[in-house]
């Protein structure tokens, strides 16, 4: 199986990228709190934790089991489902216990995404990490207050996959925008903008009718509290054709 991210790693993009960073407008949102400097958890785990806790807080009625579904599937494949179920039972809110359990649960995403089975050792986030995760989830919720509501989330691209890309899932749709969450310490890069375009093109070929009415592509980075957006109609047709053929394989 080849995921969207794995496929993009294989691609040598034109100079500046298929969609140059400068094509996106950016806007920094206001926040009352600065992030703390000394996290002790790997950035990739923090990013997934912020993503899934945001989903939980947006849809509390669905519960942590739904928000952390990919982690649970990964844990099951690694024969760690009992550990994972204990962790998911500890996730209720944005308190320290919930954040700690979430960080340890999202370790199992790697089983599903790359086949890597993590160690059973429990990670213990320090105070800065706990503060930052809570703040970034709060920023994400504030983002959706301004740019929402969500029309579709945690979606796959059934009907849109190809011989070159056989898996991958997107983050969020609002009425007119496809959104990808990136918890990054620096500015977005060409691989991020290409990933977003691939998601859009696969989405328009998928079973999800919601993609047909989209007008924009967007990235939100809760670490920098910055929104990046691009009008789809400004993307050159030759770029869309090249990515469709050479990257996705349509």
């Amino acid at each position: 199986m080849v995921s969207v991210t794995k496929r993009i790693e294989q691609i040598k993009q034109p100079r500046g990228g298929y969609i140059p960073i400068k094509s996106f407008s950016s806007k920094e949102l206001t926040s009352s709190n600065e992030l703390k400097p000394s996290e002790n958890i790997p950035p990739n785990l923090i990013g997934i934790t912020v993503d899934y806790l945001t989903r939980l807080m947006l849809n509390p009625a669905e519960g942590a089991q739904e928000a952390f579904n990919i982690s649970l599937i990964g844990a099951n494949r690694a024969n760690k489902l009992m550990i994972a179920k204990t962790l998911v039972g500890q996730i209720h809110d944005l308190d320290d216990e919930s954040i700690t359990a979430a960080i340890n649960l999202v370790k199992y995403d790697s089983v599903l995404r790359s086949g890597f089975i993590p160690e059973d050792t429990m990670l213990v986030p320090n105070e800065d990490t706990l503060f930052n995760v809570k703040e970034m989830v709060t920023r994400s919720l504030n983002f959706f207050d301004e740019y929402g509501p969500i029309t579709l989330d945690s979606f796959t691209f059934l009907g849109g996959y190809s011989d070159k890309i056989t898996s991958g899932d997107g983050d969020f749709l609002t009425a007119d925008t496809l959104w990808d969450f990136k918890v990054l310490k620096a500015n977005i890069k060409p691989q991020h903008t290409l990933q977003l375009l691939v998601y859009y093109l696969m989405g328009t070929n998928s079973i999800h009718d919601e993609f047909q009415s989209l007008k924009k592509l967007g990235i939100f980075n809760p670490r920098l509290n910055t929104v990046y957006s691009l009008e789809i109609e400004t993307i050159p047709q030759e770029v869309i054709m090249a990515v469709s053929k050479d990257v996705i394989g349509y």
Side-chain angles (χ1 to χ4, degrees):
M1 293 181 67
V2 180
S3 67
V4 173
T5 51
K6 287 292 183 185
R7 177 59 181 156
I8 289 171
E9 289 173 2
Q10 301 169 355
I11 299 298
K12 181 175 175 58
Q13 296 194 49
R15 184 176 179 85
Y18 280 107
I19 306 183
I21 307 304
K22 63 182 180 181
S23 301
F24 282 74
S25 63
S26 63
K27 176 185 177 182
E28 185 174 349
L29 305 182
T30 57
S31 175
S32 56
N33 295 312
E34 296 289 329
L35 296 184
K36 305 292 186 180
S38 302
E39 296 172 2
N40 69 333
I41 299 298
N44 65 308
L45 295 184
I46 291 179
I48 302 171
T49 299
V50 170
D51 184 351
Y52 292 177
L53 282 175
T54 298
R55 296 175 194 272
L56 175 61
M57 299 307 294
L58 287 168
N59 299 290
E62 293 186 0
Q65 188 159 343
E66 179 65 27
F68 290 81
N69 183 53
I70 292 176
S71 304
L72 289 167
I73 294 172
N76 186 44
R77 291 191 181 179
N79 295 316
K80 305 292 183 181
L81 191 56
M82 291 300 294
I83 295 174
K85 284 186 174 180
T86 298
L87 291 169
V88 83
Q90 297 170 355
I91 303 171
H92 306 289
D93 206 327
L94 295 179
D95 57 85
D96 291 355
E97 180 189 34
S98 295
I99 294 172
T100 300
I103 286 171
N104 282 280
L105 181 56
V106 302
K107 292 189 300 184
Y108 297 108
D109 270 44
S110 65
V111 182
L112 195 62
R113 298 184 187 278
S114 66
F116 174 76
I117 299 178
E119 297 179 0
D120 289 338
T121 307
M122 295 295 288
L123 300 174
V124 181
N126 60 18
E127 287 188 12
D128 281 12
T129 303
L130 293 168
F131 177 91
N132 287 358
V133 169
K134 183 173 183 178
E135 173 62 21
M136 285 189 279
V137 173
T138 300
R139 291 177 178 184
S140 300
L141 297 175
N142 291 338
F143 162 80
F144 280 116
D145 281 343
E146 183 172 347
Y147 288 88
I150 295 167
T151 58
L152 190 67
D153 71 333
S154 304
F155 45 86
T156 58
F157 299 98
L158 185 63
Y161 296 113
S162 68
D163 291 341
K164 292 182 178 179
I165 299 178
T166 56
S167 67
D169 53 277
D171 286 345
F172 301 97
L173 294 186
T174 53
D176 65 352
T177 308
L178 165 62
W179 293 102
D180 196 30
F181 267 39
K182 296 292 183 189
V183 183
L184 306 169
K185 293 183 178 180
N187 195 14
I188 56 174
K189 297 180 178 180
Q191 62 260 39
H192 303 135
T193 64
L194 176 56
Q195 180 181 3
L196 194 57
L197 178 57
V198 168
Y199 282 162
Y200 169 70
L201 295 173
M202 291 174 59
T204 57
N205 284 276
S206 75
I207 62 172
H208 300 297
D209 293 336
E210 292 91 342
F211 278 86
Q212 306 305 322
S213 60
L214 296 183
K215 303 285 191 258
K216 301 177 185 178
L217 304 181
I219 294 173
F220 176 60
N221 181 354
R223 187 177 288 283
L224 299 182
N225 208 20
T226 300
V227 179
Y228 307 86
S229 63
L230 172 70
E231 297 280 347
I232 294 171
E233 65 179 13
T234 66
I235 303 173
Q237 193 61 33
E238 58 265 28
V239 169
I240 290 177
M241 292 176 64
V243 171
S244 296
K245 179 183 176 183
D246 300 334
V247 180
I248 305 175
Y250 287 154

